[in-house]
Amino acid sequence: MDSNIKRIGVLTSGGDAPGMNAAIRAVVRAGVFYEKEVYGISRGYDGLINDEIKKLEVRSVGNILERGGTFLKSARSMDFKTPEGRKKAYENLQKRGIDALVTIGGDGTFTGANLFFQEYGIKVIGVPGTIDNDLSGTDYTIGFDTACNTAIEAIDKIRDTATSHDRLFFIEVMGRDAGFIAVNAGIGSGAVATLIPEREMTTEQLIARLNKGFKNRKLSNIVIVAEGGKSGGAIEVADKVREHFPNYDIKVTILGHLQRGGKPSSFDRLLASRLGVAAVEGLINGHSGMMAGIINQKVVYTPLESAINNTKVVDEEEFRVAKILSI
Ligand code: F6P
């Protein structure tokens, strides 16, 4: 039990994710509940370096639970990657007597948090907030569920027009180097094929899959392409396929940042609320240099290093289901 903690700083960093606001709210309210002062740091690590820090009260985080984005704003800080930047950040924390940090974000955020923890011994807990779902030590990251719902809703609309015109669509989804959004969207939207970075699908295999679909009189064809795919993004894959089907009308849609916005789903609000409280309780109970995650419905603390470095794999079972259902 670390009852010495008096002031907790909270920041969001890296790509924003729906549910980050719910997580900030949970950190602030749990902090106040346990009689700590909580400070909001704007613009991620840049705000820590530039001293953009202000005290948050219970009411400062009213009416944000349901909002997308992050009211603290976010950034991918280059300065925090330098020893000088981190020194400045440490001095600002010292100056304000902030003795612990909750950092909400993805692997870049945790890499920075871990360095800071190792260099300065700052007590820090990470909360996984990224649409990519690519962190080990948690079944889901905050924002993933909402992003998948957004993607599926958009793809449903594309299917309407694809069916009307007998067109083949290649739809690119986000996920950086991971295929979690793609597999989820592929199953949820009934895609004929899903291309992900973790699994190679050659152009020949894709052509064979599409030909089978044509033979089976598929009504419309949607191929989901993860942005980090081995054969390139949706534009590159569509170009290769076009060579084999010169008479077929092929279109490309890149969903892009659409997937990052919008109101968080019920799942993400619950996850963010649980993890925000878990982060504060973790700090109070003496955890540091860890990420709070949820595995099999239970809160688990995993070293930041493992959360970033242990590769989380796309579920084999889900990939198999996607293939079976694409016939
Ligand atoms: O990590 C979240 C994410 O949305 C990735 O899926 C994507 O590759 C990247 O961020 C995009 O980053 P930016 O918003 O900086 O272009």
Side-chain angles (χ1 to χ4, degrees):
M1 178 95 174
D2 193 341
S3 49
N4 293 328
I5 292 176
K6 290 191 175 61
R7 294 182 179 154
I8 299 173
V10 57
L11 61 81
T12 49
S13 150
D16 62 346
M20 277 185 163
N21 277 325
I24 298 166
R25 171 182 177 268
V27 170
V28 173
R29 296 211 169 158
V32 173
F33 180 86
Y34 288 110
E35 298 174 353
K36 312 294 172 196
E37 288 180 12
V38 184
Y39 288 79
I41 300 154
S42 297
R43 297 184 176 77
Y45 294 119
D46 278 347
L48 196 52
I49 294 168
N50 300 327
D51 204 22
E52 292 180 70
I53 303 172
K54 64 169 193 271
K55 192 168 176 221
L56 296 175
E57 309 290 350
V58 169
R59 295 278 83 79
S60 320
V61 289
N63 290 352
I64 65 163
L65 169 73
E66 69 280 17
R67 281 167 42 196
T70 158
F71 96 111
L72 284 177
K73 294 185 180 285
S74 191
R76 299 190 198 277
S77 175
M78 297 315 282
D79 290 345
F80 199 70
K81 291 186 176 164
T82 67
E84 299 76 35
R86 292 194 293 277
K87 183 165 179 279
K88 235 169 140 198
Y90 177 68
E91 285 164 1
N92 285 333
L93 288 180
Q94 288 284 96
K95 185 173 80 185
R96 292 172 181 273
I98 297 174
D99 33 33
L101 265 187
V102 175
T103 60
I104 306 168
D107 52 0
T109 306
F110 293 171
T111 304
N114 201 36
L115 256 179
F116 207 34
F117 163 66
Q118 279 167 359
E119 280 175 359
Y120 291 100
I122 282 286
K123 297 177 183 101
V124 60
I125 294 271
V127 171
T130 164
I131 64 165
D132 300 338
N133 198 31
D134 57 349
L135 294 166
S136 291
T138 190
D139 287 340
Y140 296 103
T141 57
I142 298 164
F144 171 67
D145 182 68
T146 309
C148 290
N149 285 322
T150 304
I152 285 171
E153 204 185 320
I155 299 164
D156 285 349
K157 290 178 179 157
I158 293 169
R159 186 181 286 284
D160 288 344
T161 173
T163 310
S164 303
H165 290 267
D166 287 328
R167 279 174 172 160
L168 166 59
F169 268 83
F170 287 82
I171 303 177
E172 185 176 303
V173 297
M174 277 188 168
R176 205 181 284 278
D177 306 322
F180 295 97
I181 298 179
V183 170
N184 189 303
I187 295 175
S189 69
V192 63
T194 303
L195 275 59
I196 58 170
E198 296 86 341
R199 286 284 201 105
E200 180 137 35
M201 185 185 248
T202 62
T203 309
E204 289 63 37
Q205 285 169 324
L206 178 57
I207 300 293
R209 180 82 67 89
L210 290 169
N211 267 326
K212 202 168 156 200
F214 294 143
K215 236 192 258 155
N216 290 343
R217 297 193 307 278
K218 257 186 164 316
L219 300 177
S220 57
N221 277 301
I222 304 278
V223 176
I224 304 295
V225 184
E227 63 175 350
K230 285 198 169 58
S231 340
I235 295 176
E236 287 83 7
V237 177
D239 282 346
K240 282 182 208 144
V241 171
R242 214 173 258 124
E243 290 170 19
H244 294 260
F245 300 109
N247 299 324
Y248 207 77
D249 204 358
I250 293 178
K251 300 280 181 192
V252 173
T253 303
I254 296 173
L255 295 186
H257 287 81
L258 185 87
Q259 298 158 94
R260 286 245 295 264
K263 284 171 174 286
S265 63
S266 142
F267 182 91
D268 277 329
R269 293 181 199 198
L270 179 64
L271 181 67
S273 301
R274 288 187 70 187
L275 291 181
V277 171
V280 171
E281 290 182 339
L283 285 169
I284 292 171
N285 289 325
H287 292 298
S288 189
M290 312 283 256
M291 180 193 82
I294 289 184
I295 296 180
N296 293 333
Q297 283 307 317
K298 295 270 173 288
V299 169
V300 183
Y301 297 94
T302 303
L304 287 170
E305 222 164 277
S306 321
I308 315 161
N309 294 331
N310 293 353
T311 317
K312 180 158 147 191
V313 288
V314 166
D315 189 27
E316 247 340 279
E317 164 77 359
E318 286 184 11
F319 201 76
R320 212 171 55 80
V321 166
K323 194 171 172 199
I324 289 174
L325 299 180
S326 70
I327 53 173

